[in-house]
PDB file of all heavy atoms in Angstrom:
ATOM      1  N   ARG A   2      13.110 -57.713  28.542  1.00 38.00           N
ATOM      2  CA  ARG A   2      13.756 -59.135  28.338  1.00 38.00           C
ATOM      3  C   ARG A   2      13.757 -59.510  26.765  1.00 38.00           C
ATOM      4  O   ARG A   2      14.751 -60.048  26.329  1.00 38.00           O
ATOM      5  CB  ARG A   2      12.957 -60.197  29.070  1.00 38.00           C
ATOM      6  CG  ARG A   2      13.159 -60.163  30.500  1.00 38.00           C
ATOM      7  CD  ARG A   2      12.448 -61.274  31.285  1.00 38.00           C
ATOM      8  NE  ARG A   2      12.784 -61.209  32.689  1.00 38.00           N
ATOM      9  CZ  ARG A   2      12.242 -62.020  33.679  1.00 38.00           C
ATOM     10  NH1 ARG A   2      11.359 -63.005  33.077  1.00 38.00           N
ATOM     11  NH2 ARG A   2      12.476 -61.806  34.862  1.00 38.00           N
ATOM     12  N   PRO A   3      12.576 -59.192  25.998  1.00 41.00           N
ATOM     13  CA  PRO A   3      12.727 -59.425  24.534  1.00 41.00           C
ATOM     14  C   PRO A   3      13.966 -58.876  23.900  1.00 41.00           C
ATOM     15  O   PRO A   3      14.501 -59.323  23.094  1.00 41.00           O
ATOM     16  CB  PRO A   3      11.392 -59.106  24.019  1.00 41.00           C
ATOM     17  CG  PRO A   3      10.472 -59.253  25.206  1.00 41.00           C
ATOM     18  CD  PRO A   3      11.319 -58.810  26.367  1.00 41.00           C
ATOM     19  N   ARG A   4      14.115 -57.514  24.366  1.00 39.00           N
ATOM     20  CA  ARG A   4      15.233 -56.796  23.617  1.00 39.00           C
ATOM     21  C   ARG A   4      16.633 -57.506  23.984  1.00 39.00           C
ATOM     22  O   ARG A   4      17.444 -57.711  23.134  1.00 39.00           O
ATOM     23  CB  ARG A   4      15.282 -55.383  24.145  1.00 39.00           C
ATOM     24  CG  ARG A   4      14.000 -54.599  23.598  1.00 39.00           C
ATOM     25  CD  ARG A   4      14.230 -53.134  24.162  1.00 39.00           C
ATOM     26  NE  ARG A   4      13.036 -52.392  23.711  1.00 39.00           N
ATOM     27  CZ  ARG A   4      12.888 -51.040  24.067  1.00 39.00           C
ATOM     28  NH1 ARG A   4      13.827 -50.426  24.944  1.00 39.00           N
ATOM     29  NH2 ARG A   4      11.832 -50.424  23.700  1.00 39.00           N
ATOM     30  N   ILE A   5      16.809 -57.953  25.153  1.00 35.00           N
ATOM     31  CA  ILE A   5      17.979 -58.600  25.576  1.00 35.00           C
ATOM     32  C   ILE A   5      18.163 -59.892  24.775  1.00 35.00           C
ATOM     33  O   ILE A   5      19.320 -60.200  24.290  1.00 35.00           O
ATOM     34  CB  ILE A   5      18.080 -58.947  27.131  1.00 35.00           C
ATOM     35  CG1 ILE A   5      18.162 -57.526  27.823  1.00 35.00           C
ATOM     36  CG2 ILE A   5      19.192 -59.690  27.630  1.00 35.00           C
ATOM     37  CD1 ILE A   5      18.071 -57.719  29.421  1.00 35.00           C
ATOM     38  N   SER A   6      17.008 -60.734  24.702  1.00 38.00           N
ATOM     39  CA  SER A   6      17.176 -61.797  24.032  1.00 38.00           C
ATOM     40  C   SER A   6      17.492 -61.674  22.451  1.00 38.00           C
ATOM     41  O   SER A   6      18.248 -62.470  21.813  1.00 38.00           O
ATOM     42  CB  SER A   6      15.757 -62.577  24.028  1.00 38.00           C
ATOM     43  OG  SER A   6      15.795 -63.828  23.315  1.00 38.00           O
ATOM     44  N   LEU A   7      16.862 -60.493  21.887  1.00 35.00           N
ATOM     45  CA  LEU A   7      17.156 -60.293  20.391  1.00 35.00           C
ATOM     46  C   LEU A   7      18.637 -59.777  20.334  1.00 35.00           C
ATOM     47  O   LEU A   7      19.280 -60.349  19.375  1.00 35.00           O
ATOM     48  CB  LEU A   7      16.232 -59.134  20.017  1.00 35.00           C
ATOM     49  CG  LEU A   7      16.459 -58.734  18.586  1.00 35.00           C
ATOM     50  CD1 LEU A   7      16.183 -59.833  17.658  1.00 35.00           C
ATOM     51  CD2 LEU A   7      15.527 -57.580  18.252  1.00 35.00           C
ATOM     52  N   ARG A   8      19.144 -58.992  21.225  1.00 39.00           N
ATOM     53  CA  ARG A   8      20.554 -58.661  21.195  1.00 39.00           C
ATOM     54  C   ARG A   8      21.544 -59.829  21.362  1.00 39.00           C
ATOM     55  O   ARG A   8      22.520 -60.039  20.641  1.00 39.00           O
ATOM     56  CB  ARG A   8      20.950 -57.627  22.231  1.00 39.00           C
ATOM     57  CG  ARG A   8      20.231 -56.302  22.068  1.00 39.00           C
ATOM     58  CD  ARG A   8      20.652 -55.344  23.168  1.00 39.00           C
ATOM     59  NE  ARG A   8      19.914 -54.003  22.864  1.00 39.00           N
ATOM     60  CZ  ARG A   8      19.942 -53.026  23.800  1.00 39.00           C
ATOM     61  NH1 ARG A   8      20.641 -53.260  24.926  1.00 39.00           N
ATOM     62  NH2 ARG A   8      19.380 -51.829  23.444  1.00 39.00           N
ATOM     63  N   LEU A   9      21.155 -60.827  22.237  1.00 38.00           N
ATOM     64  CA  LEU A   9      21.933 -61.961  22.400  1.00 38.00           C
ATOM     65  C   LEU A   9      21.969 -62.829  21.132  1.00 38.00           C
ATOM     66  O   LEU A   9      22.996 -63.378  20.817  1.00 38.00           O
ATOM     67  CB  LEU A   9      21.381 -62.771  23.653  1.00 38.00           C
ATOM     68  CG  LEU A   9      22.126 -64.114  23.914  1.00 38.00           C
ATOM     69  CD1 LEU A   9      23.727 -63.699  24.192  1.00 38.00           C
ATOM     70  CD2 LEU A   9      21.515 -64.761  25.102  1.00 38.00           C
ATOM     71  N   SER A  10      20.828 -63.036  20.550  1.00 46.00           N
ATOM     72  CA  SER A  10      20.712 -63.871  19.418  1.00 46.00           C
ATOM     73  C   SER A  10      21.462 -63.186  18.244  1.00 46.00           C
ATOM     74  O   SER A  10      22.198 -63.860  17.511  1.00 46.00           O
ATOM     75  CB  SER A  10      19.177 -64.033  18.979  1.00 46.00           C
ATOM     76  OG  SER A  10      18.498 -64.636  20.038  1.00 46.00           O
ATOM     77  N   SER A  11      21.398 -61.825  18.213  1.00 47.00           N
ATOM     78  CA  SER A  11      22.186 -61.181  17.103  1.00 47.00           C
ATOM     79  C   SER A  11      23.656 -61.307  17.304  1.00 47.00           C
ATOM     80  O   SER A  11      24.528 -61.663  16.339  1.00 47.00           O
ATOM     81  CB  SER A  11      21.858 -59.721  17.039  1.00 47.00           C
ATOM     82  OG  SER A  11      20.401 -59.476  16.882  1.00 47.00           O
TER      83      SER A  11
END
Side-chain angles (χ1 to χ4, degrees):
R2 289 184 179 178
R4 292 182 181 178
I5 294 175
S6 177
L7 180 59
R8 291 179 181 176
L9 181 60
S10 299
S11 300

